[in-house]
Amino acid sequence: MSGTPESNPGKPGGLSRYALALLPLIVFGAIAATAAKMLYDQDFHGKNIAEIPSALIGTKAPALNLPPLDGANLPALTDAAIKGKLTLVNVFASWCIPCRDEHPILKELAKDGRLNIVAINYKDKNDNALRFLGELGNPYRAIGVDPNGKAAIDWGVYGIPESYLVATDGTILYKRVGPFDDISLKEGLFPAIEKALAKPAS
């Protein structure tokens, strides 16, 4: 006596049932394979998965017209604050733990007179941002507050901290998602700075 499709895997109905049962496993395997490739590329080929490409690279930076951080005694972050200067625009917040980890690196970068470092203070409370800078020091020459995240959207921010190197003519040259570390400085930011400085002014 022949079995029903439910009980006989040889029938088309049985095959489709087994295929549906295997679907979650196939999806999980694809995700795992992708993650493994990313880790392999990072560990063995030196690829930094935090160097996320941006559609803005090679284009003019979005306009800046952000109010100052009250009490910081620094200029507001406007187009004038970066015009004609090789600038690193850093997006930070006091509640961001990786921002705290990155901050000593920004303070070291601020010692390089060739580089103008400014900040977008993202969805933060004024007093908390002031406390953050009071505890860790201030590497910025201008800070603009972005309480609603609108400027971050304009700049295509994925998550903070995030930094953009902007040329003297306002072109975005480089983007870093996540905190800077020795590798990202050596392989990402520093070469981008050197390339920008080597290019004749237009």
Side-chain angles (χ1 to χ4, degrees), residues 76-87:
L77 184 53
T78 64
D79 290 338
I82 70 171
K83 185 177 180 181
K85 305 168 186 174
L86 182 61
T87 300

Side-chain angles (χ1 to χ4, degrees), residues 1-3 40 46 52 75 88 134 137 157 169 171 187 191 194:
M1 181 172 156
S2 62
Y40 179 83
I52 297 176
L88 188 69
V157 172
D169 66 357
T171 303
E187 298 182 359
E194 293 300 327

Side-chain angles (χ1 to χ4, degrees), residues 103-124:
H103 211 71
I105 293 176
L106 296 177
K107 287 179 65 181
E108 286 299 311
L109 290 173
K111 296 176 182 178
D112 188 337
R114 304 172 301 172
L115 191 62
N116 176 44
I117 303 181
V118 301
I120 297 174
N121 184 228
Y122 176 73
K123 293 187 176 181
D124 210 351

Side-chain angles (χ1 to χ4, degrees), residues 138-154:
N138 176 31
Y140 307 118
R141 296 183 184 176
I143 298 177
V145 296
D146 186 23
N148 300 316
K150 183 180 183 305
I153 292 173
D154 292 342

